[in-house]
């Protein structure tokens, strides 16, 4: 089984909760999300017009990688903050 490698392509930044804090994460195609909020959180993806695409729950302490279009936005609902970074993926 091969493992993917994560390529860092931008600094990690803090993402505060709420749709008003939506971000493209530097127009990323792949985003590493670390839920350090202390609680489970729902991450939402919208298109450039803020039309909902979907959502997933990220458990507290988990790290997930999301693939998206560069102009799509991510935001989350929950408490405190999460950390996000634009990354690349290599096999």
């Amino acid at each position: 089984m091969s493992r993917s490698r994560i390529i860092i392509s931008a600094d990690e930044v803090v993402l505060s909760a709420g749709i008003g804090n939506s971000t493209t994460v530097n127009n990323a195609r792949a985003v590493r999300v670390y839920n350090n909020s202390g609680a489970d959180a729902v991450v939402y993806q919208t298109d450039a017009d803020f039309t909902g695409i979907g959502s997933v729950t990220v458990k507290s302490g988990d790290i997930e990688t999301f693939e998206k279009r560069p102009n799509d936005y991510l935001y989350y609902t929950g408490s405190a903050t999460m950390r996000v970074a634009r990354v690349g993926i290599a096999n």
Side-chain angles (χ1 to χ4, degrees), residues 66-79:
F66 294 92
E67 186 175 348
K68 66 179 203 56
R69 292 178 204 89
N71 292 330
D72 287 352
Y73 288 93
L74 294 178
Y75 72 95
Y76 87 99
T77 57
S79 60

Side-chain angles (χ1 to χ4, degrees), residues 13-22 74-77 79-82:
V13 297
V14 172
L15 177 61
S16 297
I19 194 168
N21 295 307
S22 296
L74 294 178
Y75 72 95
Y76 87 99
T77 57
S79 60
T81 60
M82 294 176 76

Side-chain angles (χ1 to χ4, degrees), residues 23-67:
T23 179
T24 64
V25 192
N26 296 311
N27 295 311
R29 290 187 177 275
V31 178
R32 178 187 180 271
V33 175
Y34 169 47
N35 182 359
N36 66 329
S37 71
D40 295 353
V42 179
V43 176
Y44 295 86
Q45 182 176 339
T46 68
D47 66 16
D49 296 321
F50 292 98
T51 301
I53 293 172
S55 63
V56 297
T57 299
V58 178
K59 296 190 70 55
S60 178
D62 280 3
I63 298 170
E64 300 291 345
T65 303
F66 294 92
E67 186 175 348

